[in-house]
Every structure is written in C-alpha cells, then in structure tokens.
Amino acid sequence: MISDRSDLPHSAGLPLVLVVNGPNLNLLGTREPGTYGTETLADVEQRITVAATRLAVRTEFVQSNHEGVLIDAIHAARGRASGIIINAGAFTHTSVALRDAIAAVALPMVEVHLTNVHAREAFRHHSYLSDLAEAVIVGAGPLGYVFALELLAGRTAAHEATSA
Ligand code: DQA
C-alpha cells in the first residue's frame, strides 16, 4: 500500500521523506498491543503527517509484507526523496536484499523500531541496516518516527543552507 499524504498544492516544492514500514506493521493497534501499543498504522502516519507540516517536508508512506515491494519503493525514491525513514520489521534482522537497496539509493536513512529491540530476544539485536543509518531510534514507540523526521528535516534544511 503506497499513499502520498502530500496532496496539498503548497507542499509541491517541499523535500520528500519516504516512510517505509515492513511486515506485520499493518496490524499495529491489534498486534501484540502489550508490546507494540494500541495506535494503528494510520494513527502513526497521521502523527508523522502533522509533524511533516510543522517541519515543512512532504511525506510518502509505504507499508508492505513483501520484501520486493519494499525494495521497489526504496528504488523509486532515488532522485525523488531526500531521505528515508524505515521500520523494516522482522526484515531488519534477515534481509541483505533490503540492506543492498538502501545502500544502492544512497539516501540519508533513519532506522526506527517501536520497541527497544536490544531489550528483546537475541535474534532482534542484529540489524542489517543500522550501520548504513544516520541514526537508529528504538523504544520510543510512534514518537520514534517523529524524531526521525525531525532529524532528516533538519539535515535537509542544513544542506539547503550550505548549498544556497
Ligand atoms: C519492530 C521490531 C522487530 O524485531 C519486529 O520484527 C517488528 C517490529 C519494532 O518496531 O519494534 O516487526 O521493528
């Protein structure tokens, strides 16, 4: 599912941040709520959209349970987006292909996990993405995405200021 919430005419020239969510994150709100909380993915995306307006960036959202769909969305961000926020879900711990896609597009990327993966099972401690990330935000719940957007928006603004 791909959705662009930046349909407001005045948002057209703003930098774009792609927000990628991986497998099972479509079930947020009902999936293990004791672990992942009660906010749905739509709630989380709404939070990000509100922050994007404040930070003067555009966002585009993709969620898929299929590795190839996520990889295609990351490829399509090349030349369009100025950064990527990704919660790859369980693919974080398994997918060399997703890592290669992130490396290939060479966009600033922030890795987000709702939970503190380091306080969970050992198989969640390793990420194939972390060493490519500008920052890794774990355990902050849905706010982690907002922190990530703050970081990427600030980076974009700093880049524009130095290249002006
Ligand atoms: C997650 C952590 C992963 O280990 C898990 O497979 C998920 C969600 C998180 O947001 O905390 O699906 O990425």
Side-chain angles (χ1 to χ4, degrees), residues 23-25 31 36 87-90 92-93 112-115 117 120 124:
N24 301 307
L25 292 163
R31 171 196 185 194
Y36 294 110
N87 181 350
T92 305
H93 319 297
V112 170
H113 298 284
L114 294 157
T115 61
V117 285
R120 300 183 63 192
R124 297 185 204 276

Side-chain angles (χ1 to χ4, degrees), residues 82-84 102 106-111 129-137 148 151-152 154-156:
S82 43
I84 297 177
I102 292 285
L107 288 167
M109 177 272 283
V110 179
E111 178 181 350
L129 307 181
S130 294
D131 63 303
L132 300 177
E134 296 269 323
V136 181
I137 302 170
L151 195 151
L152 288 175
R155 194 184 187 286
T156 303

